[in-house]
Amino acid sequence: MASNTTQRVPLRERRPSVGAPLVDIQGGVAPAGVSRPKHKRTLTGFGPGEIKNVEASIPEPQRKAWLAHQTSGFKDKDGFETEVVRHVETTLARSMYNCDEQAAYSACSLAFRDRLILEWNRTQQRQTFADSKRVYYLSLEFLMGRALDNAMLNIGQKDVAKAGLAELGFRIEDVIEQEHDAALGNGGLGRLAACFLDSLASLNYSAWGYGLRYRYGIFKQEIIDGYQVEVPDYWLDFNPWEFPRHDVTVDIQFYGHVTKRTDDNGKTIATWEGGEIVKAVAYDVPIPGYATPSTNNLRLWSSKAASGEFDFQKFNSGDYENSVADQQRAETISAVLYPNDNLDRGKELRLKQQYFWVAASLYDIVRRFKKSRRAWKEFPDQVAIQLNDTHPTLAVVELQRILVDLEGLDWEEAWNIVTNTFGYTNHTVLPEALEKWSVPLFQHLLPRHLQLIYDINLFFLQSVERKFPKDREMLARVSIIEESQPKMVRMAHLAIVGSHKVNGVAELHSDLIKTTIFKDFVEVFGPDKFTNVTNGITPRRWLHQANPRLSELISSKTGSQNFLKDLTELAKIEHYKDDKAFRKEWAEIKYANKVRLAKHIKKTTGVDVNPSALFDVQVKRIHEYKRQQMNIFGVIHRYLTLKSLSPEERKKFQPRVSIFGGKAAPGYWMAKQIIHLINAVGAVVNNDKDIGDLLKVIFLEDYNVSKAEMIIPASDLSEHISTAGTEASGTSNMKFVLNGGLIIGTCDGANIEITREIGEQNIFLFGNLAEDVEDIRHNHTYGSYTVDPDLVKVFEAIEKGTFGEPNDFMGMISAVRDHGDFYLVSDDFHSYIETQELVDKAYRDQEGWITKSIESVARMGFFSSDRCINEYAEGIWNIEPLAVKDQ
């Protein structure tokens, strides 16, 4: 927006540097105290009152000129082609003679980005004018996937782009393939956050996401000689979907010390001084809603040295390495998702990362609120902040620090505002997965925050003591500070105490947290503070984008694409489950998806797989509780069985392709061993001429959202086999079923609700129940324990070197045989093998299988992330969608 206000800038004011900054100068060669100038906010981010004043201050002729020349995005094929060619020739400085697929992707993305920007600006203005409550979703991960295909579909212009690119000589599929996945997450936590952003925009809620802009992602996974090797993920080499906001910077403080003084009114004033400053720079990513002009914002923070990226004085004195040391140290904060915390320095970097992100986000949120000039008590009426797991819990303490130390509010008044602002989503029932940080680390890195945590804890424990005056043990159990050596800060306890609502993400999970890990807090706060919001997925990406032919078939029977906004409309297709033509096309779509995946497997691994075989898929983060080890033990059992049969008997066996994918955390030794065993088994099985197509074992490296969009529509069976009571929800189970695949799984997480919706006849459940797990573990330790006989044979095959050096896999075997089998692999193995036999039998009856597949998809209407967001909005955030006029 143009304004003549820029004329008021004093003429002699130094302009902010945009190149190498000046630094503090020593000695007498320059004036004292010359330092890097601070960035000044430009005229963006107005409050509703300010924007009207600025608009009124613009002279009428100037305003008319702007309005006359306002840009508009392309509307048709010709307009799209014009934009693409313009970007190829001017932005990329190429021509039709040297425009390759990468350049076509770049130009196409920029054409769509230009359209998104216009809606993005209008959405932000509309939300500012409405001045209604906003929700801020804080997540350390946002596993977004590719943006171009999503933008095309959400804007409704994919057909236009397809035709336009074809005329310019490109296949749209080849162009889309050029995009790197945004490396902002690893697992279900990040993908859930991405689905939620899609739903928030599609449902017209005023919402922002806040995360970190990881320079190298978590890592790019390569499989070398069967081992996982981590290499940097250079996903930011070209990223047209982000906008650097160099005028939106926040100084973030670390280390230092706290001084306290008493003011004239007898109030204690704490000041955090000294230490190190790191600058947070904002990068914005537009999030388009589906079939709506609403385009929300994801703000990602990148770390830079506050002193500038280059120290000229050190360079001039010959200290070349240290001339960039500050910048290198600062940039490590946002370099990698989940730095390896096996070392103390890794732990410090993780905590630093978390504080950097929440402090920058809180500064931004508070700045936006203060422009409304409302009283502080209205903050929770204007702001809802959702903590996605414990990673952003420091936001609770940071907001208290801002209100007490910087804004001068009374402690209790500030705490009342804080607790009414935050909601906390818990994602695990595993006590060891609940974050804890040592008190000495806090004291060193965030001294003021440690003081506030002790204040919060004292305030909380005093209220508990009043309620349970004789229960000293209760005080120890619920305390935010764990009395261990060293003392630890329990972040989950802090998140509960600092939030007005705590939710689990599936019915079983929400019940378990209330009866196990957070049982005492239910007694303290009452059951109403704890609620359930079962996870969901966006059908736009996981059906419409990932499986376009199935989406088209469904819309031909439901009468429209409304099911993408109201997933319960899927129920209409159940009327066609006996329709021969419908069933035939349903089966053909699944087969075509399997052929596509088979080609990818051949291209990336060199292994030929038969698309007519049963495709059995387990793709997710590699973790012992998810039990990929049980799956590969089951594969070995299948292989041993096949080897024991005669060639004639083998012909009766159901051919199967076992497909694995997923990353192991760099410091998680056992998970890496599981990956090695999968690849070792594959190397033997895939080259065994006796077995041929009857069994193949595939590990697809570097599993990400784009690969999921190819794998999920091709699955016949997917494995969700976590130890009962360990998986909070899972969302990949929903994606597989929505694409017509069946599930083999335990009674865990959302599997239970999926069973309730689709019917027991359409899912293959096995294994022990959550309520029995503790008793079984107790019996392993104190009673008699024998390993399942079939599993013993599997272990014997591994130990005699069938799949390579046995010592490489002994950790997995001894975990089951010698160390208590914590994840109940042996206890569930017999049930697992029997259920896999039922799967084989069911798959041979292809007509029955197709019926199960159609019924399952038709009954998945409950598992939409739109339903989740509406439940959060009503039950936790108390926000309404913003009315939007169709454009």
Side-chain angles (χ1 to χ4, degrees):
M1 185 176 288
S3 170
N4 57 10
T5 54
T6 51
Q7 296 165 8
R8 300 182 202 136
V9 176
L11 291 176
R12 297 184 64 81
E13 179 167 310
R14 292 181 58 217
R15 292 174 56 213
S17 161
V18 291
L22 296 167
V23 296
D24 290 339
I25 293 173
Q26 304 294 317
V29 294
V34 175
S35 61
R36 181 170 190 252
K38 289 285 181 192
H39 279 294
K40 289 206 182 311
R41 291 277 305 149
T42 53
L43 292 177
T44 61
F46 295 112
E50 295 165 306
I51 204 165
K52 288 167 186 160
N53 292 338
V54 172
E55 196 168 21
S57 74
I58 299 171
E60 186 60 31
Q62 203 179 84
R63 202 180 322 169
K64 279 178 81 172
W66 273 87
L67 292 172
H69 298 290
Q70 265 188 335
T71 186
S72 61
F74 64 86
K75 302 271 193 303
D76 54 24
K77 178 167 65 70
D78 287 342
F80 169 72
E81 288 178 33
T82 301
E83 286 293 290
V84 169
V85 171
R86 179 177 70 80
H87 278 300
V88 168
E89 294 185 344
T90 60
T91 312
L92 305 175
R94 293 199 183 199
S95 69
M96 71 173 170
Y97 302 111
N98 63 354
C99 179
D100 57 11
E101 284 166 352
Q102 180 63 45
Y105 160 70
S106 302
C108 182
S109 297
L110 291 165
F112 272 91
R113 187 194 73 169
D114 291 351
R115 263 200 64 153
L116 280 189
I117 292 166
L118 301 173
E119 295 298 358
W120 185 31
N121 280 330
R122 289 188 197 113
T123 301
Q124 299 311 313
Q125 288 165 10
R126 194 163 53 242
Q127 292 178 0
T128 298
F129 273 123
D131 199 21
S132 56
K133 188 173 186 177
R134 269 196 177 107
V135 60
Y136 298 100
Y137 197 81
L138 268 58
S139 180
L140 201 55
E141 295 185 41
F142 287 96
L143 199 55
M144 303 302 292
R146 287 175 176 155
L148 176 57
D149 200 10
N150 187 58
M152 288 174 173
L153 289 165
N154 280 12
I155 292 171
Q157 296 287 341
K158 187 167 183 179
D159 290 340
V160 166
K162 186 174 185 177
L165 286 168
E167 282 197 0
L168 294 170
F170 296 97
R171 287 176 70 246
I172 193 169
E173 295 81 8
D174 297 333
V175 170
I176 288 168
E177 279 293 311
Q178 302 305 309
E179 183 176 355
H180 282 292
D181 274 40
L184 297 170
N186 179 36
L189 184 85
R191 189 49 237 173
L192 181 76
C195 284
F196 280 5
L197 290 186
D198 178 88
S199 287
L200 283 160
S202 297
L203 296 170
N204 302 314
Y205 285 107
S206 297
W208 283 47
Y210 278 104
L212 282 174
R213 179 180 177 267
Y214 303 106
R215 184 73 189 84
Y216 306 111
I218 184 166
F219 58 84
K220 187 170 185 288
Q221 182 193 54
E222 292 183 358
I223 301 298
I224 299 174
D225 298 332
Y227 293 93
Q228 170 179 292
V229 177
E230 302 95 25
V231 297
D233 188 347
Y234 296 107
W235 71 284
L236 281 170
D237 287 351
F238 176 75
N239 181 21
W241 305 103
E242 67 174 14
F243 295 87
R245 297 293 201 192
H246 293 302
D247 57 332
V248 183
T249 62
V250 187
D251 286 340
I252 308 297
Q253 185 177 0
F254 296 104
Y255 310 112
H257 60 276
V258 181
T259 57
K260 291 192 176 181
R261 63 181 177 82
T262 306
D263 69 5
D264 298 341
N265 301 318
K267 187 176 177 182
T268 302
I269 308 293
T271 310
W272 183 14
E273 298 173 328
E276 172 185 273
I277 302 291
V278 175
K279 191 170 287 296
V281 181
Y283 286 75
D284 286 347
V285 180
I287 307 294
Y290 174 76
T292 172
S294 288
T295 304
N296 281 341
N297 195 40
L298 168 60
R299 178 157 284 179
L300 304 171
W301 298 103
S302 186
S303 52
K304 307 283 179 196
S307 58
E309 62 188 45
F310 186 70
D311 188 325
F312 232 121
Q313 271 52 54
K314 285 179 180 172
F315 188 84
N316 283 343
S317 64
D319 191 0
Y320 304 132
E321 290 81 6
N322 284 327
S323 65
V324 291
D326 286 354
Q327 178 69 355
Q328 287 176 336
R329 191 168 65 253
E331 284 190 348
T332 58
I333 293 174
S334 60
V336 173
L337 168 64
Y338 302 135
N340 187 350
D341 62 354
N342 289 356
L343 305 168
D344 286 342
R345 287 190 71 187
K347 289 184 173 68
E348 181 176 320
L349 181 56
R350 277 210 189 186
L351 187 58
K352 210 172 187 182
Q353 197 176 60
Q354 290 182 9
Y355 178 65
F356 170 84
W357 153 54
V358 300
S361 304
L362 257 294
Y363 176 88
D364 211 35
I365 293 165
V366 168
R367 174 185 62 77
R368 200 169 292 119
F369 171 77
K370 284 174 76 172
K371 280 191 302 206
S372 71
R373 295 184 170 82
R374 283 182 161 86
W376 279 108
K377 67 181 182 198
E378 294 180 53
F379 190 82
D381 300 327
Q382 289 296 107
V383 173
I385 302 175
Q386 192 66 26
L387 307 174
N388 192 27
D389 214 349
T390 53
H391 311 125
T393 305
L394 273 169
V396 170
V397 193
E398 177 65 6
L399 183 55
Q400 182 73 357
R401 185 185 77 85
I402 291 168
L403 296 177
V404 172
D405 293 0
L406 307 184
E407 301 298 335
L409 271 66
D410 286 338
W411 201 95
E412 287 196 33
E413 181 190 2
W415 186 240
N416 190 48
I417 291 167
V418 169
T419 52
N420 282 300
T421 298
F422 287 100
Y424 161 50
T425 302
N426 172 271
H427 285 277
T428 183
V429 291
L430 300 174
E432 66 273 17
L434 296 172
E435 282 191 305
K436 296 176 193 173
W437 300 107
S438 78
V439 166
L441 174 57
F442 253 104
Q443 178 67 51
H444 175 57
L445 188 66
L446 300 167
R448 178 58 182 144
H449 293 76
L450 183 63
Q451 289 178 354
L452 285 165
I453 288 168
Y454 270 96
D455 291 344
I456 291 164
N457 197 38
L458 178 62
F459 183 78
F460 168 60
L461 291 181
Q462 284 174 341
S463 70
V464 175
E465 217 272 336
R466 285 193 294 273
K467 199 168 181 183
F468 304 94
K470 296 197 172 127
D471 197 341
R472 298 280 175 87
E473 288 180 5
M474 164 80 88
L475 293 177
R477 289 197 305 270
V478 298
S479 173
I480 295 167
I481 306 297
E482 181 179 271
E483 299 296 328
S484 52
Q485 281 297 330
K487 292 183 178 180
M488 305 292 280
V489 180
R490 298 159 160 162
M491 302 308 277
H493 289 203
L494 179 56
I496 294 168
V497 173
S499 300
H500 65 98
K501 278 284 185 186
V502 177
N503 74 283
V505 289
E507 284 178 9
L508 173 68
H509 170 236
S510 297
D511 287 343
L512 282 171
I513 62 174
K514 285 196 283 188
T515 55
T516 58
I517 52 172
F518 301 148
K519 181 181 175 186
D520 293 317
F521 289 98
V522 176
E523 282 195 58
V524 172
F525 292 111
D528 290 348
K529 178 162 179 158
F530 296 83
T531 187
N532 174 62
V533 182
T534 298
N535 282 345
I537 57 175
T538 169
R540 274 80 63 177
R541 183 175 288 269
W542 294 113
L543 182 53
H544 194 45
Q545 182 174 328
N547 204 342
R549 278 189 64 191
L550 186 61
S551 178
E552 201 178 309
L553 177 62
I554 290 168
S555 62
S556 73
K557 298 305 179 191
T558 59
S560 71
Q561 290 190 332
N562 288 348
F563 69 92
L564 295 171
K565 272 285 188 85
D566 178 8
L567 200 58
T568 58
E569 289 206 5
L570 284 176
K572 292 177 182 176
I573 67 167
E574 193 158 350
H575 301 307
Y576 299 92
K577 68 179 180 183
D578 298 321
D579 181 308
K580 279 191 177 175
F582 180 73
R583 292 169 64 86
K584 183 170 181 283
E585 190 168 356
W586 189 276
E588 282 173 0
I589 290 167
K590 176 63 75 177
Y591 187 76
N593 288 329
K594 290 171 73 174
V595 168
R596 180 177 65 154
L597 180 58
K599 285 178 181 172
H600 176 78
I601 289 169
K602 174 67 175 171
K603 181 180 164 187
T604 55
T605 69
V607 179
D608 286 299
V609 298
N610 182 357
S612 299
L614 186 156
F615 278 22
D616 172 353
V617 181
Q618 188 178 21
V619 284
K620 52 186 74 205
R621 209 160 44 87
I622 309 293
H623 198 292
E624 287 167 277
Y625 88 81
K626 292 178 185 287
R627 298 203 293 191
Q628 286 95 345
Q629 70 273 37
M630 185 163 77
N631 187 346
I632 193 61
F633 291 156
V635 170
I636 294 170
H637 174 268
R638 193 178 188 86
Y639 175 66
L640 297 175
T641 303
L642 281 165
K643 290 292 279 183
S644 69
L645 298 175
S646 68
E648 281 305 308
E649 288 172 316
R650 281 183 201 141
K651 285 177 186 172
K652 298 172 191 167
F653 227 73
Q654 171 59 48
R656 190 181 282 232
V657 180
S658 284
I659 299 166
F660 296 82
K663 295 177 180 179
Y668 193 175
W669 175 78
M670 188 72 89
K672 287 182 158 182
Q673 198 175 86
I674 292 169
I675 291 174
H676 185 204
L677 179 60
I678 293 166
N679 284 296
V681 172
V684 172
V685 172
N686 299 341
N687 293 299
D688 190 324
K689 291 185 171 55
D690 292 343
I691 302 303
D693 278 349
L694 285 173
L695 183 61
K696 297 289 184 189
V697 182
I698 306 295
F699 189 94
L700 293 171
E701 71 177 16
D702 203 39
Y703 178 62
N704 57 22
V705 175
S706 298
K707 289 193 175 77
E709 288 169 22
M710 183 193 303
I711 295 165
I712 289 169
S715 99
D716 293 306
L717 181 77
S718 60
E719 308 227 4
H720 309 275
I721 56 176
S722 51
T723 310
T726 60
E727 186 73 87
S729 167
T731 50
S732 67
N733 44 11
M734 302 167 192
K735 291 160 197 160
F736 280 103
V737 179
L738 188 62
N739 282 275
L742 301 190
I743 282 178
I744 181 169
T746 48
C747 293
D748 198 25
N751 287 356
I752 294 166
E753 285 151 276
I754 290 172
T755 304
R756 188 176 65 207
E757 295 293 321
I758 69 174
E760 283 184 31
Q761 74 279 13
N762 295 325
I763 191 166
F764 300 94
L765 295 174
F766 74 95
N768 285 284
L769 301 178
E771 57 260 36
D772 300 324
V773 168
E774 279 308 313
D775 288 344
I776 293 167
R777 283 177 180 156
H778 181 86
N779 196 46
H780 286 181
T781 309
Y782 300 106
S784 59
Y785 169 65
T786 51
V787 177
D788 179 85
D790 286 327
L791 192 55
V792 168
K793 290 174 189 168
V794 169
F795 291 168
E796 286 170 355
I798 295 170
E799 286 174 318
K800 72 179 185 189
T802 308
F803 307 106
E805 173 53 51
N807 286 333
D808 288 351
F809 314 117
M810 289 311 293
M812 269 181 287
I813 294 174
S814 63
V816 174
R817 195 169 55 195
D818 310 320
H819 298 295
D821 191 13
F822 187 78
Y823 295 105
L824 275 57
V825 173
S826 174
D827 300 270
D828 284 348
F829 194 69
H830 183 69
S831 173
Y832 176 64
I833 296 302
E834 280 191 335
T835 308
Q836 289 284 20
E837 288 168 8
L838 292 176
V839 170
D840 287 341
K841 186 179 174 187
Y843 192 74
R844 284 190 205 98
D845 172 15
Q846 271 297 296
E847 289 305 311
W849 190 275
I850 291 166
T851 301
K852 289 174 186 291
S853 175
I854 295 168
E855 285 179 356
S856 298
V857 175
R859 298 171 187 178
M860 282 296 288
F862 176 75
F863 298 101
S864 167
S865 51
D866 293 354
R867 185 261 316 152
C868 299
I869 290 301
N870 284 327
E871 287 183 17
Y872 276 102
E874 188 178 334
I876 298 175
W877 302 331
N878 192 26
I879 59 167
E880 297 283 338
L882 205 58
V884 177
K885 290 175 186 169
D886 289 329
Q887 296 175 356

